[in-house]
Amino acid sequence: MIDSNVLIAKADASLSQWSTASVLKPELRDEFVVLMVTPDSALSLYQYKTIPGESYRIPRLRFGSAILVRGTSGQAIPAANRSRPDLSSGTASPKLLRGEVIIPDEIVTMNPDGDGIIKKLVSAASDAVRRDIGNCVHNGDDSATFSAQPLLSAFDGIIVEATSNVNTETSTTALTKDVLNRAELAGEAGYSEDLDLVHMTNRVAFRTFAESMADRLTPLGDKAMQEQGVLYHNGRRLMSNPIFPNNLGAGTNETAVISQNPKNQYVVFHEQIRLETQRDASSGAAKMVITVLVDQAREADEACVKTVGVLGQ
């Protein structure tokens, strides 16, 4: 049996190439975030920031009304007609998320890649972290108790926080073009006309809409839609997100539709992403503790519409 000191030295030597004081170096921190985000088609659409401080201010600069008015030669514009930009901002304050991974000795001793075990573990951990971050970013609810929702209680996610424009269907309704029409009309004109707007919902609602499209299309159009796998409504993409819930509403069988330009959505990380290891001789295993601070926020709340009451299962 390999001496435990050798195992610890092997792990620490590999980890030392990846981090300083258990904090990922900047280039590897960025690689960790990329590994976490890229495979997820929904998360990859959003904007990402890594910050050194406690919060990130998301500036917004827009003019809600007309700037130009009829002028009079030789006279300044009256003070009441002078335009002032909206300088409000959104704020993201990364919340603490931590995970502990048990690594049995056998994984290290039987690993054919030698010291490459740490890099493989970081890659595998990024997959798991991606899943959990995506769940929290979309479905988080800080009103939930830790005992009931140890992950989702960290902070409010995209669905819970979307309250400025809510399109409420009167009963549990299958997702159709009429529902998406109402969603687009519920938003402010300057945002709802954006052709980069994306409607995002769960896979059941997405498939329901696809079937309704197939009923209206010719056989040739139906074949093209099935092969392409991408749906549009009024020039705006409808996207299936497998992490979206299917248990909302009184009947716990509903989902939501979030309609916004994905670039309106930010996911913010604190720059100190930690990977720490500790050996437990009594269990014959090492522990890897992953610490990430993350939050989500929107640049403009009014640029997002949430539709509720949509059949989700």
Side-chain angles (χ1 to χ4, degrees):
M1 182 176 180
I2 298 178
D3 183 79
S4 60
N5 290 327
V6 175
L7 295 175
I8 295 173
K10 182 177 181 180
D12 288 348
S14 297
L15 189 60
S16 67
Q17 300 172 12
W18 282 75
S19 61
T20 301
S22 301
V23 179
L24 287 187
K25 294 177 181 178
E27 65 274 14
L28 297 168
R29 174 197 66 216
D30 295 340
E31 181 179 338
F32 185 91
V33 173
V34 169
L35 284 171
M36 187 202 73
V37 170
T38 302
D40 189 299
S41 57
L43 285 176
S44 63
L45 297 176
Y46 305 146
Q47 300 203 61
Y48 288 84
K49 297 291 180 182
T50 55
I51 62 171
E54 294 182 356
S55 62
Y56 176 72
R57 180 175 175 268
I58 303 171
R60 51 179 303 193
L61 177 59
R62 67 187 292 258
F63 291 87
S65 58
I67 296 178
L68 300 178
V69 297
R70 189 185 70 187
T72 302
S73 179
Q75 296 184 17
I77 295 175
N81 298 117
R82 296 171 188 169
S83 182
R84 294 176 176 81
D86 181 353
L87 298 177
S88 60
S89 62
T91 302
S93 301
K95 310 300 190 300
L96 176 65
L97 298 177
R98 179 172 289 145
E100 184 176 302
V101 181
I102 304 300
I103 309 167
D105 290 346
E106 292 76 14
I107 292 180
V108 178
T109 57
M110 297 180 181
N111 175 54
D113 295 329
D115 290 345
I117 181 64
I118 297 299
K119 186 169 184 176
K120 280 194 168 186
L121 286 171
V122 170
S123 179
S126 71
D127 289 338
V129 170
R130 180 186 73 247
R131 176 199 63 213
D132 294 343
I133 292 289
N135 194 6
C136 205
V137 163
H138 292 99
N139 301 320
D141 183 357
D142 70 1
S143 67
T145 61
F146 178 83
S147 59
Q149 298 283 2
L151 170 63
L152 300 184
S153 60
F155 57 85
D156 280 345
I158 293 172
I159 295 174
V160 168
E161 203 171 65
T163 57
S164 293
N165 297 309
V166 179
N167 170 42
T168 303
E169 295 299 314
T170 55
S171 60
T172 304
T173 304
L175 185 59
T176 64
K177 62 183 180 66
D178 294 329
V179 174
L180 295 184
N181 278 334
R182 288 191 285 270
E184 291 174 6
L185 292 172
E188 291 192 9
Y191 297 112
S192 60
E193 300 303 315
D194 184 358
L195 289 178
D196 290 326
L197 181 145
V198 172
H199 300 288
M200 191 176 295
T201 189
N202 83 343
R203 61 192 185 95
V204 173
F206 176 87
R207 292 176 68 87
T208 300
F209 185 87
E211 291 300 320
S212 72
M213 289 288 292
D215 291 341
R216 303 200 319 268
L217 292 172
T218 65
L220 181 61
D222 186 20
K223 181 176 184 295
M225 182 190 70
Q226 291 184 33
E227 290 179 350
Q228 187 179 22
V230 178
L231 296 177
Y232 288 88
H233 176 264
N234 288 339
R236 297 160 185 86
R237 183 180 176 186
L238 175 64
M239 184 175 180
S240 172
N241 187 339
I243 212 73
F244 261 47
N246 64 356
N247 60 350
L248 303 179
T252 63
N253 63 343
E254 298 174 3
T255 189
V257 180
I258 295 294
S259 306
Q260 66 173 342
N261 186 327
K263 297 308 178 186
N264 184 51
Q265 187 66 52
Y266 282 75
V267 179
V268 179
F269 293 88
H270 192 278
E271 65 181 15
Q272 291 198 352
I273 299 174
R274 293 181 177 271
L275 293 177
E276 302 169 285
T277 58
Q278 181 183 46
R279 173 156 173 76
D280 183 357
S282 63
S283 63
K287 293 180 181 180
M288 181 169 69
V289 179
I290 305 168
T291 303
V292 181
L293 288 93
V294 64
D295 195 11
Q296 67 81 27
R298 278 181 291 274
E299 180 178 336
D301 287 334
E302 65 271 22
C304 176
V305 174
K306 175 172 67 174
T307 299
V308 297
V310 175
L311 187 65
Q313 56 175 271

